[in-house]
Each structure stands twice: as structure tokens, then as C-alpha cells.
Amino acid sequence: LHKHMTQPRRSQIFFNDKLTTIEQLKKKLIKKPGEDGVALQVIIRADQTSPFGVVIEICNLVADAGFSPILATRADQRE
């Protein structure tokens, strides 16, 4: 299992498809990786509209909680 976080808009952060905040995210990452049913990796999806500083803050938060952050980006959809 993987935990998914996305930040599709500047002020929105989703954790497992549910809208959340940085503070709520900190509480959700309390379970340690490897515990029964807890993923080892957290996939962080961001696009070009995501503020770089927020993406890095989330990556650091995930890593500090003992998980491996995996950054997944999407190709530009514009033609």
C-alpha cells in the first residue's frame, strides 16, 4: 500500500484523496512505517502550479516521520 498526497491547487493538500492541512498531515503521519498496514512510502504528486516551498515542506515532513517520500510529477497537459 502507498499513501498518496496531492497538491493540485496552491491552497489544497490531499492525503488519501481527502482534503487536509499541514497540521492535520503531521498528525496523520504519527503511525510509523512498517507497522501493521502502514505503507513505507508516501507518494507526493505535484504539478507546475504547486509552490516549490510547500512541496519541499511536505517532503521533509514525510521523511522526518520515517517514511520515504516519492515525488511524482505530471507532464504538462498544454498543447
Side-chain angles (χ1 to χ4, degrees):
L1 295 177
H2 294 281
K3 294 183 182 218
H4 295 275
M5 286 188 296
T6 55
Q7 187 186 14
R9 300 191 193 279
R10 292 180 188 184
S11 61
Q12 293 183 328
I13 299 170
F14 290 84
F15 183 76
N16 286 341
D17 297 322
K18 294 182 182 175
L19 188 61
T20 192
T21 66
I22 291 284
E23 290 305 315
Q24 291 169 335
L25 182 59
K26 288 177 185 178
K27 293 175 185 172
K28 292 177 184 194
L29 291 174
I30 289 176
K31 279 194 164 186
K32 295 297 176 197
E35 288 181 8
D36 191 35
V38 177
L40 298 176
Q41 300 90 17
V42 176
I43 299 171
I44 301 166
R45 291 184 290 178
D47 63 22
Q48 65 192 27
T49 65
S50 301
F52 183 72
V54 174
V55 174
I56 295 303
E57 181 180 5
I58 291 171
C59 285
N60 289 338
L61 180 67
V62 167
D64 289 348
F67 296 90
S68 297
I70 299 173
L71 186 58
T73 59
R74 296 184 206 185
D76 190 356
Q77 299 297 321
R78 292 183 276 168
E79 294 184 31

